[in-house]
Amino acid sequence: MCAGEILELKNTINTMVDQFERLCLGSHAGGARKSNRRQTRRPGRGARSRWHVEGLTDNVNSMANNLTTQVRNIAEVTIAVGTAICRARSTVDVRGEILQLKETINTMVEQLRSFASEVTRVAREVGTEGRLGVQAVVPGVAGTWKDLTDSVNAMGTNLTAQVRNIAEVTTAVARGDLSRKSRST
């Protein structure tokens, strides 16, 4: 079942096919005509034109099916990413602008997967394993992805500094040095 732009494309193509069919059959076949109570049909080009229209219909349907397959594959990937499944990739065989769209989506998915993996690693190492100073490394990112990576790293650096400062003050107090104060903000 078609919807949205695909439905509009289907309807446009079907209208175009109907118009071609009327054009070919109307101008070449001439339809049936009466001559003294007997019906005759002009032979020749109408049948050939009908064959060409059917061939055109097959080609248009093939093109529409191919485009639908391509768009459906890309839609499946974007839906997967929208539901936090970052391992999905578009694998459909495409060319032209659809290829550019496929490559862009796959790059976005890879960057999101890489970013999510690094944030998860940093959170685990700092939060669970207690390793301070861990930084996220996401190669090849730019723009918002780089800003997000930098923000995670700044947060980790700030947290590390605060924890280390608290540890220094606590150690000093444990040794009897009550002059130390925490400088964490």
Side-chain angles (χ1 to χ4, degrees):
M1 176 144 237
C2 298
E5 291 177 350
I6 298 299
L7 176 61
E8 184 177 328
L9 176 63
K10 179 195 90 159
N11 290 338
T12 300
I13 289 170
N14 286 339
T15 300
M16 185 175 69
V17 169
D18 290 344
Q19 289 172 348
F20 277 127
E21 186 173 24
R22 279 193 299 276
L23 176 67
C24 293
L25 293 177
S27 64
H28 296 297
R33 62 187 161 108
K34 289 187 178 181
S35 173
N36 291 342
R37 298 166 99 199
R38 133 189 135 182
Q39 285 192 332
T40 60
R41 188 162 181 89
R42 256 195 302 201
R45 292 172 52 178
R48 183 169 183 246
S49 293
R50 175 100 177 137
W51 180 83
H52 284 299
V53 169
E54 288 173 359
L56 176 62
T57 302
D58 291 344
N59 287 337
V60 168
N61 286 338
S62 175
M63 178 188 70
N65 184 48
N66 188 32
L67 181 60
T68 300
T69 299
Q70 293 171 9
V71 171
R72 186 172 289 135
N73 177 262
I74 291 170
E76 288 169 355
V77 172
T78 55
I79 289 167
V81 171
T83 58
I85 301 171
C86 296
R87 62 186 173 275
R89 289 186 58 80
S90 178
T91 58
V92 70
D93 183 29
V94 294
R95 289 183 289 235
E97 292 173 346
I98 300 289
L99 174 62
Q100 185 179 12
L101 178 62
K102 170 189 160 181
E103 290 172 345
T104 300
I105 288 172
N106 282 342
T107 298
M108 288 182 344
V109 170
E110 180 56 31
Q111 288 178 341
L112 179 59
R113 187 204 58 74
S114 183
F115 176 76
S117 175
E118 276 299 288
V119 169
T120 301
R121 180 187 65 82
V122 169
R124 182 187 65 249
E125 289 181 13
V126 172
T128 304
E129 298 171 10
R131 294 178 52 196
L132 299 176
V134 176
Q135 297 284 292
V137 179
V138 186
V141 295
T144 301
W145 295 117
K146 183 170 181 347
D147 293 345
L148 287 169
T149 303
D150 291 347
S151 292
V152 166
N153 287 339
M155 182 179 66
T157 298
N158 188 30
L159 178 63
T160 297
Q162 291 176 15
V163 170
R164 286 182 177 158
N165 179 256
I166 291 169
E168 289 172 5
V169 171
T170 304
T171 301
V173 168
R175 291 184 180 150
D177 181 1
L178 301 178
S179 65
R180 300 282 309 260
K181 292 186 178 183
S182 177
R183 62 189 187 305
S184 296
T185 55

